[in-house]
Amino acid sequence: MHPALTLPAGRFPAAWRTRLVRALSFVLLVLLPACRGYRPSNPPLPQPIPAAPHAVAVTTAVPEPQPPARTVATDPATPDDVVRAAIAVFGDSTAVAVADADAVGEGPVWDIDVRAYETHDRVEHYVELFSSKAKERFASRLSRGTRYEPMIRSKLRASGMPEDLTYLALIESGYDPHAYSRAAAVGMWQFMSSTARDVGMRVDWWMDERRDPARSTDGAIRFLGVLQKQFGSLYLAAAAYNGGPGRVSRGLTRFAEELEGAEGEDRFFALAEQDYLRAETKNYVPQLIAAALVAKMPSRYGLRIDSLPAYAYDSVRAAAGTSLAAVSLHGGVANGVLRELNPALLRGITPPDAEVWLRVPAGRGEALRVMLDSLPDGVLRGYRTAKVTDAMTPAAFASRHGVSLKQLRWFNPSWRTARKGRLVAGQTLRVPQEQVLADARDIPDPSLEKYGGSTGTRGLSARGVHVVRRGETLGGIARRYGLRESQLKAMNGLRGSRILAGQTLQVRKSTTAGSSRRKVTATKATSQKSTVKKSGGKAKAAKKKAASGTKQAASSKSKKNK
């Protein structure tokens, strides 16, 4: 026996010594042959380069440490060797089957639960759709995503969230920073304006950070993190992201018996089987899973993905009202580059009321910072000001200064007009420079919100639904509708008091039918009044006519007597 495996006789019983020696023998038998082919993948840390005479010593940057990668061993122990050794040492009752080495690490890996649901009928439906009828569109969106996916994955990883949640942006918008839905949700992550403000984004006339890939990703991660803590399930959080946390909460309460026994991610699929969630929300998670399946194995499904340059930039501080065109001109940046890097700037300038971080091409940050600091403020400002000297229409003022009415409105959202629509004299308006207009975006008012389709919040109010606004509390909403907070929680299946802007709450029963009945009753009453009024009018007219006839007859009789 090897001296290293000899144990002191006095400390261990003979039986224990025998077992321990066998165990150590097995470890050596298995591991030593497998280690022969191992070579460390990381090179040794770089040493300083010797400096030449009168030269400054330069050291190369130390790369970020990476986990060592194993190379294939030249003569590793085979699975059969391991099994035979285990049987020899421990006996065949304790032998453990070893996975085939070729199968280990084969294929893609997901950090969301994909394998458990890949055979679900809705998942299979979308896998088929993404790889057949919608293949070209899906491939195009995946190609666009190659520009943003590294940034999104990096932010998800830093926050501790699964990196494969990047495919939510694929499902939401196809990685389009300027996507705009019928409900006025905007950007890659499709935020409503109130929800975006609630997670820390600026959304106003001048700037809409829902269109900024990095800022909107930060907001989406923050929102998804809150939802995951609330529901304890990633897929329920995704459903709430799409359909609203209030609706998911109410569904879990309403169908608690039907969901009994479902755990983890199965809870979403159990809830989706009920006749409750909207079809879009029911299909949202299956689309996510199908997208993750196809996106990580595009060649298997016949997709060709074109890679785009990664979304990378430097940031510099820019003064209020700075023109993107002026920065491009004086900084030697190609036209359109700053506009593409700063999609949140809506009017081709930084907001007139605050300095902000401006995205510039990677590697150009320091040079452009020096340039911005050296130029006078007026050189970079994207507009001039003009005073309204006499009352005139906005169109006449715009024509006088060489811009269209729409362009003048872009830069003066709060101009003051008199009753007849003329500008109030004495106010000062901004007149944009011609080169700035090329970077301005013609988009709807960013603060616009549409809930429940074209009927908006009025339609929801008629159905007894309240849309949570920024700054509202559960207790305040309850008092507004004459409820106790506990009642409001019970009506909406809420356990805590946390609510989010954009969330919908049931506050009373639908009033649509009652309103219709009241409207019909009111119409009938109005009609009856009108009939009575007409009848009374006719009677008065007849009486008046009769009286007139009597007077005429009396007058005629009087003349005859004369």
Side-chain angles (χ1 to χ4, degrees), residues 255-459:
F255 298 100
E257 292 185 5
E258 289 82 349
L259 272 60
E260 188 175 355
E263 297 181 354
E265 306 302 355
D266 288 342
R267 295 168 66 211
F268 164 77
F269 289 93
L271 180 61
E273 289 176 0
Q274 314 304 318
D275 185 18
Y276 176 72
L277 295 176
R278 292 182 299 126
E280 178 186 331
T281 306
K282 287 183 178 182
N283 293 326
Y284 191 71
V285 171
Q287 285 187 64
L288 170 63
I289 296 171
L293 278 165
V294 178
K296 288 201 172 182
M297 299 182 289
S299 58
R300 177 179 296 186
Y301 296 99
L303 275 68
R304 177 181 174 180
I305 310 303
D306 299 321
S307 295
L308 299 176
Y311 182 66
Y313 53 84
D314 287 345
S315 296
V316 296
R317 237 15 213 176
T322 298
S323 162
L324 298 183
V327 175
S328 297
L329 176 64
H330 295 281
V333 180
N335 291 334
V337 172
L338 293 184
R339 186 177 192 266
E340 194 270 339
L341 285 174
N342 296 274
L345 299 180
L346 304 181
R347 311 303 170 190
I349 61 173
T350 60
D353 59 352
E355 67 172 25
V356 297
W357 287 104
L358 187 68
R359 305 277 169 76
V360 299
R364 300 291 311 279
E366 181 59 22
L368 290 174
R369 184 191 65 79
V370 172
M371 182 273 294
L372 290 172
D373 290 343
S374 62
L375 292 176
D377 293 341
V379 174
L380 295 173
R381 186 172 298 152
Y383 57 87
R384 58 185 175 86
T385 57
K387 195 170 185 178
V388 181
T389 55
D390 54 353
M392 64 174 66
T393 64
F397 186 91
S399 178
R400 175 181 293 183
H401 293 279
V403 295
S404 70
L405 178 61
K406 178 187 288 187
Q407 292 166 346
L408 183 67
R409 181 68 173 173
W410 287 347
F411 288 81
N412 298 277
S414 302
W415 63 32
R416 290 176 290 119
T417 56
R419 289 184 178 181
K420 294 184 178 181
R422 295 179 178 274
L423 293 169
V424 175
Q427 63 181 310
T428 300
L429 301 184
R430 303 180 191 92
V431 179
Q433 297 174 355
E434 184 177 355
Q435 62 269 29
V436 169
L437 296 174
D439 292 327
R441 303 181 188 276
D442 185 9
I443 59 171
D445 183 351
S447 298
L448 182 67
E449 288 199 352
K450 301 175 183 177
Y451 294 96
S454 59
T455 56
T457 53
R458 292 181 183 178

Side-chain angles (χ1 to χ4, degrees), residues 120-364:
H120 189 279
D121 56 347
R122 296 309 295 167
V123 174
E124 290 183 333
H125 165 75
Y126 283 108
V127 167
E128 171 65 22
L129 180 65
F130 296 156
S131 57
S132 57
K133 293 181 180 179
K135 181 166 71 173
E136 296 300 323
R137 184 168 72 251
F138 191 75
S140 174
R141 293 181 172 188
L142 279 177
S143 296
R144 184 193 296 144
T146 61
R147 176 159 174 74
Y148 303 106
E149 191 172 332
M151 176 271 295
I152 297 173
R153 286 187 176 277
S154 174
K155 288 179 176 291
L156 286 165
R157 182 168 59 252
S159 70
M161 298 286 284
E163 292 183 34
D164 288 336
L165 285 177
T166 180
Y167 299 121
L168 281 183
L170 172 64
I171 298 304
E172 285 284 352
S173 67
Y175 294 111
D176 182 1
H178 298 289
Y180 191 93
S181 76
R182 289 176 296 178
V186 173
M188 186 182 295
W189 294 94
Q190 289 291 279
F191 275 102
M192 302 297 290
S193 60
S194 57
T195 309
R197 295 188 188 101
D198 202 46
V199 295
M201 284 183 267
R202 175 170 177 168
V203 180
D204 57 29
W205 187 261
W206 301 102
M207 195 170 186
D208 188 351
E209 290 187 319
R210 294 176 296 176
R211 297 174 184 269
D212 184 282
R215 291 287 293 140
S216 63
T217 297
D218 291 336
I221 290 172
R222 193 174 297 118
F223 191 28
L224 285 166
V226 170
L227 295 175
Q228 187 180 22
K229 289 179 181 178
Q230 179 178 350
F231 297 108
S233 158
L234 198 64
Y235 288 162
L236 282 175
Y241 187 93
N242 174 261
R247 187 165 188 83
V248 173
S249 294
R250 291 191 296 273
L252 294 175
T253 302
R254 178 176 174 182
F255 298 100
E257 292 185 5
E258 289 82 349
L259 272 60
E260 188 175 355
E263 297 181 354
E265 306 302 355
D266 288 342
R267 295 168 66 211
F268 164 77
F269 289 93
L271 180 61
E273 289 176 0
Q274 314 304 318
D275 185 18
Y276 176 72
L277 295 176
R278 292 182 299 126
E280 178 186 331
T281 306
K282 287 183 178 182
N283 293 326
Y284 191 71
V285 171
Q287 285 187 64
L288 170 63
I289 296 171
L293 278 165
V294 178
K296 288 201 172 182
M297 299 182 289
S299 58
R300 177 179 296 186
Y301 296 99
L303 275 68
R304 177 181 174 180
I305 310 303
D306 299 321
S307 295
L308 299 176
Y311 182 66
Y313 53 84
D314 287 345
S315 296
V316 296
R317 237 15 213 176
T322 298
S323 162
L324 298 183
V327 175
S328 297
L329 176 64
H330 295 281
V333 180
N335 291 334
V337 172
L338 293 184
R339 186 177 192 266
E340 194 270 339
L341 285 174
N342 296 274
L345 299 180
L346 304 181
R347 311 303 170 190
I349 61 173
T350 60
D353 59 352
E355 67 172 25
V356 297
W357 287 104
L358 187 68
R359 305 277 169 76
V360 299
R364 300 291 311 279

